[in-house]
Amino acid sequence: MLTPELDPMVELAEKVQQNCINRNFSVNSNPPELSKTETKSSSIQIKENELKDRILPKRQELEQVQPPLGLFVESHSQYAIQIGILDRNLITGDWNEKYRQDVIRNWHGYQQYAAIARTWLLSNHNDDLNLFLVGPAGSFHEPEWQNFAEIVERNEIVCRKVVWLPSKNEDSWETEIESFIERTFLAQPWAYGAPTESPKLDALSDSISDLGTWRKVLDLPEFRSDNRDYNDLVAELLKLD
């Protein structure tokens, strides 16, 4: 059962932030550059024209969506993350046209936020801007949402996009978010790799040692000749075991 207090968009932001903190990355939560509604050039133009006190309407596509949550992350490199929600209402089965258009508008709204953010970001964050988008609770098992998420993730206009489709069961969200993180720049594939088996390495070492012993037999004059007796050669090699 979905708890009203739990918001998947907020849950994702908190879990991503905690993942970074646990790894001793520097994290700046909700920097203003990631929620601007005007490009940097537009803002400068407004100031130059002394219109800074005038309230300008948001662009239409930005009116459709909740402003993104944002994170600056500094590890071996510097990253910017915007997190938005594609829709809060779940329609099961086939989508009607209105619902589809609403979801597409929400996606484009966040893409517009990302485009605006890039005009404000310094180059160290600009090159690594990521847009994390969230479906409604219960979208995990919905084919329409799965297909839509694939379309969004294949689209790399403005920046890279990764979509989390949460299940209806909130108890699964933590595990789902961990899997989501493994699809992002925060992935740690080395943490899950199978350890090298030392017995296999020992076997290889033993084989190399055997080859060195065999070489002594193979280098004997009677076995280097083209007229070597292979039965005798095999017999000599067997004596080494």
Side-chain angles (χ1 to χ4, degrees):
M1 181 177 178
L2 190 64
T3 306
E5 290 77 11
L6 282 183
D7 182 333
M9 175 181 173
V10 175
E11 286 292 302
L12 179 60
E14 291 179 350
K15 292 296 190 297
V16 169
Q17 183 172 359
Q18 191 58 53
N19 177 279
C20 295
I21 292 172
N22 291 344
R23 294 162 65 182
N24 296 317
F25 294 164
S26 173
V27 184
N28 180 8
S29 180
N30 289 320
E33 295 92 333
L34 297 180
S35 57
K36 297 280 189 181
T37 58
E38 291 291 335
T39 64
K40 189 173 185 178
S41 61
S42 296
S43 178
I44 292 172
Q45 186 177 6
I46 289 171
K47 289 180 180 179
E48 288 178 348
N49 293 333
E50 298 182 351
L51 297 174
K52 59 183 178 181
D53 295 328
R54 178 178 164 190
I55 300 176
L56 298 178
K58 283 185 183 179
R59 302 184 185 196
Q60 184 177 2
E61 57 268 35
L62 303 185
E63 292 283 359
Q64 308 292 326
V65 296
Q66 177 182 340
L69 302 176
L71 296 169
F72 280 161
V73 177
E74 183 173 352
S75 56
H76 59 281
S77 187
Q78 293 174 308
Y79 301 87
I81 303 172
Q82 291 174 303
I83 301 173
I85 189 151
L86 290 166
D87 209 283
R88 296 187 182 281
N89 299 315
L90 178 68
I91 288 185
T92 59
D94 294 339
W95 292 0
N96 59 55
E97 189 58 27
K98 181 183 182 305
Y99 186 75
R100 183 179 303 278
Q101 291 305 316
D102 286 345
V103 173
I104 292 174
R105 276 196 297 270
N106 292 342
W107 162 30
H108 290 171
Y110 284 114
Q111 190 163 273
Q112 185 63 47
Y113 265 113
I116 292 171
R118 295 200 72 154
T119 70
W120 290 92
L121 295 175
L122 299 176
S123 59
N124 54 350
H125 284 115
N126 200 330
D127 292 339
D128 286 304
L129 174 62
N130 294 259
L131 182 56
F132 294 171
L133 296 171
V134 183
S139 57
F140 179 76
H141 293 294
E142 290 295 321
E144 285 273 22
W145 270 105
Q146 293 169 3
N147 292 337
F148 186 75
E150 291 177 1
I151 292 171
V152 173
E153 292 186 346
R154 286 197 298 267
N155 182 294
E156 294 194 353
I157 295 174
V158 181
C159 65
R160 187 189 176 200
K161 307 169 187 72
V162 191
V163 181
W164 171 42
L165 301 180
S167 65
K168 200 77 171 177
N169 182 6
E170 296 167 2
D171 294 336
S172 301
W173 287 5
E174 184 170 356
T175 301
E176 292 172 18
I177 291 173
E178 288 175 359
S179 298
F180 173 89
I181 287 173
E182 287 304 309
R183 298 167 52 219
T184 72
F185 68 88
L186 293 167
Q188 293 181 285
W190 57 87
Y192 304 97
T196 302
E197 296 182 20
S198 57
K200 290 184 179 180
L201 293 178
D202 291 342
L204 177 61
S205 177
D206 292 343
S207 297
I208 293 173
S209 177
D210 288 343
L211 289 174
T213 305
W214 289 3
R215 175 59 62 186
K216 293 178 181 179
V217 173
L218 296 172
D219 284 342
L220 292 173
E222 59 267 35
F223 298 132
R224 297 186 65 180
S225 168
D226 291 339
N227 297 321
R228 68 179 68 87
D229 188 317
Y230 288 99
N231 290 329
D232 290 345
L233 173 59
V234 171
E236 288 297 322
L237 292 175
L238 289 175
K239 290 179 182 179
L240 300 175
D241 293 339

